[in-house]
Amino acid sequence: DREAVMNEFKQIHQQANKVAAVDVLHDFYVKWNKSYNHVIRNLKDIEPDLLVFYNYPKQIRASIYSANMIESFNNVIKRKAKPQAEFPTEQSLDTFIGIQA
């Protein structure tokens, strides 16, 4: 069920406004509550925080709920720091990461 659940959950973040997102989310609850009661209960507990990004302009919503930019940045740092087998001090590592950022 993982792929089906994830595809339906993604629909919540793709709605035009918060009202539509709440409707899709509640439909999601109804459909999956029987199979995944614990997960649905946890989602209901965090629902106000789950949809908070709808309070912001559409242009920046993706950067709020997506960690892709953060993950990409972390991968760049790891890749560039890897060839440097050892840094003589913690300060030199901090400086290197600062330069990369």
Side-chain angles (χ1 to χ4, degrees):
D1 291 339
R2 182 178 181 182
E3 187 174 345
V5 170
M6 293 306 295
N7 285 336
E8 288 186 37
F9 194 75
K10 287 178 188 175
Q11 297 302 312
I12 297 163
H13 292 120
Q14 295 173 352
Q15 299 306 306
N17 58 50
K18 192 172 186 174
V19 173
V22 169
D23 290 341
V24 172
L25 181 60
H26 289 180
D27 291 343
F28 180 85
Y29 291 161
V30 170
K31 181 173 182 178
W32 295 106
N33 189 46
K34 186 175 181 180
S35 301
Y36 301 103
N37 187 322
H38 182 69
V39 173
I40 299 302
R41 198 170 344 122
N42 289 338
L43 283 174
K44 286 179 179 179
D45 289 344
I46 64 165
E47 184 174 327
D49 295 329
L50 187 65
L51 301 175
V52 74
F53 67 93
Y54 277 104
N55 297 338
Y56 297 91
K58 190 174 184 175
Q59 296 84 346
I60 64 168
R61 287 182 192 163
S63 64
I64 294 171
Y65 71 78
S66 174
N68 288 342
M69 292 189 319
I70 296 167
E71 291 170 12
S72 175
F73 176 72
N74 287 339
N75 287 335
V76 167
I77 295 297
K78 287 178 188 175
R79 189 174 58 247
K80 293 198 177 212
K82 201 173 201 174
Q84 314 295 326
E86 292 181 26
F87 290 92
T89 65
E90 191 172 318
Q91 178 62 38
S92 64
L93 176 60
D94 287 347
T95 302
F96 175 77
I97 291 173
I99 291 169
Q100 297 306 311

